[in-house]
Amino acid sequence: DTAVSQTPKYLVTQMGNDKSIKCEQNLGHDTMYWYKQDSKKFLKIMFSYNNKELIINETVPNRFSPKSPDKAHLNLHINSLELGDSAVYFCASSPRGQQGKGYEQYFGPGTRLTVT
Amino acid sequence: AQKVTQAQTEISVVEKEDVTLDCVYETRDTTYYLFWYKQPPSGELVFLIRRNSFDEQNEISGRYSWNFQKSTSSFNFTITASQVVDSAVYFCALSNSGGYQKVTFGTGTKLQVIP
C-alpha cells in the first residue's frame, strides 16, 4: 500500500507553460506539505496545509499555488514555469501529534520537474 | 529562528567501518523534535527516527544508534559495521511543536560505503 503518492514522477516542459503535480496520502494525517529539493539536495519547505487550511507559506513566488480539496490531497499548480523551477518536488504528510503520534514526515517518491 | 548544521558534506568509509554523522541544531523553543531521514540513490526520503526535546535517552536500532545531547545541541547518528546499502544522503531535521509548524532540514551528509 502506497502511503504518500505523487503524480507524475517525471515532468518535462517548456518555459512559460503551466503544470500541476498531484499528491495523495492514505495515512489519515491532517497535515501535508510541499518541499522543493534543488540540485545540491537542499530541501526547502514551500507550503503546509492542516486539514485543508494553509498554515505555512514560505517565500515562494506566487506562480506556485497549492490546493487542498480534502485533507488527503494536496496539489501544486505552477504557472509560467521558469528554468529555475527545475527541481525535485516532494509531497509529505505528518500526524503532527494527532492521537499521540509524532511529528515526523512521510514523503512521497518525488516529482522531477525539468523546465527547458 | 531555527537552524540545523550538518558540517560533514561527504564521508567515505570502507564497508564494516563505523561512521558517525554529526548534527547540530539551534532553536529558541523549549519543546521541539529532531529527526533523521535517509535519501538513497533511488531518491525517496525515508524517515528513520524522531527524538523529542524532553527525552534525552539514546536509541539503538540494529546497526543504527542516535546520541541526543541537549547540552551541546547535538543529535548525532552512528552506523555500526557499515554496509554498501547504507550509502545515501542523510538529513537531520528540526521541528517546533506550535500551531505554525516550522520544519528545518540540514544540508545533508552524503555517505559512501566502499565495498
Side-chain angles (χ1 to χ4, degrees), chain A residues 17-33:
Chain A
N17 285 348
D18 302 340
K19 290 292 177 187
S20 291
I21 306 172
K22 295 188 175 182
C23 177
E24 177 180 0
Q25 55 100 0
N26 62 7
L27 297 168
H29 296 161
D30 285 348
T31 307
M32 296 183 72
Y33 310 81

Side-chain angles (χ1 to χ4, degrees), chain A:
Chain A
D1 279 348
T2 305
V4 183
S5 59
Q6 289 178 235
T7 52
K9 192 166 171 59
Y10 299 96
L11 192 48
V12 181
T13 188
Q14 291 184 326
M15 280 175 56
N17 285 348
D18 302 340
K19 290 292 177 187
S20 291
I21 306 172
K22 295 188 175 182
C23 177
E24 177 180 0
Q25 55 100 0
N26 62 7
L27 297 168
H29 296 161
D30 285 348
T31 307
M32 296 183 72
Y33 310 81
W34 278 110
Y35 282 86
K36 180 180 181 180
Q37 186 173 45
D38 63 23
S39 57
K40 294 186 178 176
K41 298 285 191 180
F42 184 62
L43 267 166
K44 185 168 165 50
I45 192 168
M46 300 172 70
F47 302 102
S48 172
Y49 269 74
N50 181 259
N51 227 346
K52 300 193 295 174
E53 281 191 38
L54 181 66
I55 56 170
I56 290 179
N57 184 353
E58 291 293 308
T59 308
V60 176
N62 57 15
R63 298 181 294 103
F64 290 79
S65 52
K67 277 206 174 78
S68 181
D70 55 62
K71 67 178 192 180
H73 295 84
L74 180 62
N75 304 324
L76 182 66
H77 188 75
I78 316 170
N79 288 328
S80 305
L81 277 154
E82 299 177 357
L83 292 176
D85 298 331
S86 296
V88 179
Y89 292 84
F90 285 97
C91 175
S93 74
S94 172
R96 268 199 79 212
Q98 279 171 254
Q99 298 163 350
K101 295 181 183 173
Y103 281 71
E104 63 276 9
Q105 295 170 316
Y106 296 89
F107 286 83
T111 295
R112 183 174 293 277
L113 172 64
T114 303
V115 183
T116 61

Side-chain angles (χ1 to χ4, degrees), chain B residues 7-47:
Chain B
Q8 303 150 307
T9 309
E10 287 193 44
I11 302 175
S12 286
V13 298
V14 176
E15 206 171 15
K16 296 184 184 172
E17 283 184 350
D18 299 346
V19 58
T20 295
L21 310 182
D22 298 332
C23 174
V24 174
Y25 63 92
E26 292 176 32
T27 180
R28 290 192 189 125
D29 294 312
T30 51
T31 301
Y32 53 88
Y33 300 87
L34 293 160
F35 314 91
W36 277 96
Y37 293 87
K38 175 182 180 180
Q39 188 173 38
S42 50
E44 70 272 24
L45 278 156
V46 179
F47 164 67

Side-chain angles (χ1 to χ4, degrees), chain B residues 39-104:
Chain B
Q39 188 173 38
S42 50
E44 70 272 24
L45 278 156
V46 179
F47 164 67
L48 294 178
I49 189 171
R50 173 190 77 244
R51 179 55 75 221
N52 307 332
S53 56
F54 43 87
D55 179 4
E56 283 193 74
Q57 209 169 12
N58 292 327
E59 184 153 341
I60 298 175
S61 176
R63 297 183 297 106
Y64 294 172
S65 62
W66 292 269
N67 183 345
F68 174 34
Q69 294 201 336
K70 279 179 89 167
S71 60
T72 55
S73 297
S74 64
F75 184 41
N76 297 337
F77 174 24
T78 297
I79 302 174
T80 304
S82 59
Q83 299 177 2
V84 172
V85 292
D86 297 326
S87 297
V89 179
Y90 291 87
F91 292 95
C92 181
L94 167 68
S95 169
N96 64 351
S97 64
Y100 187 88
Q101 187 188 13
K102 179 80 175 165
V103 184
T104 304

